[in-house]
Amino acid sequence: MKDIENQEDLQLLLDQFYTKLLADPAISYIFTDVVKIKIEEHLPILVTFWSQAVLGTGGYSGNLAQIHLDIDQKEHLTPELFNIWLGYFDATVNELFKGEKAEKIKTQALSIATVMQIKIANNRKG
Ligand code: HEM
């Protein structure tokens, strides 16, 4: 099994990750009802984000924390939802890739998810 090396690899990873997310009614409603994402517009943004995070390319200029705080205002992003999200993310990485970058992307996802949940909890207190 190869490691994550380029944007094509990330495209494959994210495509298969979203197939899993969207097939599970326990989380898919966030992407179909709460925020109606257009997958063909959403995937390139995800590729850019993860390419910046693990391949060291630039190009992502969104505000990831605020975007998820806004979603949480519409529908609570619970710890259960984060667990489902992380479970599919790790599973997809493990199915497709093995190596340093594959480990790095899973660690990054966990650490971003942790920070996101702290920000969500703080925001809800305010
Ligand atoms: C409960 C877990 C999560 C749910 C339900 C969720 C849901 C969503 C939704 C609905 C969007 C589209 C927002 C929009 O276009 O307005 C989005 C965007 C995004 N999410 Fe998440 N998300 C979750 C966790 C995460 C985590 C942990 C990460 C990264 C580690 C992440 C990375 C992204 C990225 C990169 C975007 C694109 C941001 C942009 O458009 O600039 N998400 N998410």
Side-chain angles (χ1 to χ4, degrees):
M1 216 186 285
K2 68 178 221 111
D3 200 0
I4 299 167
E5 284 162 6
N6 52 44
Q7 303 222 350
E8 264 174 41
D9 293 340
L10 289 172
Q11 171 93 39
L12 176 72
L13 168 63
L14 293 160
D15 197 40
Q16 297 207 7
F17 171 49
Y18 265 68
T19 301
K20 292 190 206 302
L21 284 181
L22 294 174
D24 184 347
I27 194 164
S28 64
Y29 68 98
I30 304 281
F31 298 90
T32 55
D33 299 352
V34 178
V35 180
K36 294 178 179 63
I37 61 151
K38 290 204 186 87
I39 194 72
E40 69 279 7
E41 290 171 14
H42 189 58
L43 277 176
I45 301 173
L46 297 177
V47 171
T48 304
F49 174 82
W50 285 112
S51 176
Q52 174 157 308
V54 300
L55 301 176
T57 60
Y60 180 75
S61 59
N63 188 338
L64 192 67
Q66 192 57 52
I67 285 168
H68 292 82
L69 286 175
D70 290 347
I71 301 169
D72 179 68
Q73 294 290 316
K74 294 182 195 153
E75 184 75 26
H76 185 22
L77 294 180
T78 59
E80 289 72 27
L81 285 169
F82 275 95
N83 284 339
I84 294 170
W85 191 103
L86 284 165
Y88 287 135
F89 194 87
D90 280 11
T92 316
V93 174
N94 293 339
E95 276 166 26
L96 295 169
F97 300 105
K98 193 178 173 65
E100 194 192 316
K101 295 280 197 305
E103 290 311 307
K104 185 173 170 183
I105 203 167
K106 288 183 282 182
T107 308
Q108 286 246 17
L110 177 60
S111 106
I112 295 167
T114 306
V115 173
M116 228 180 235
Q117 289 185 83
I118 292 167
K119 288 186 175 167
I120 284 171
N122 286 338
N123 194 50
R124 293 179 77 83
K125 269 188 237 157

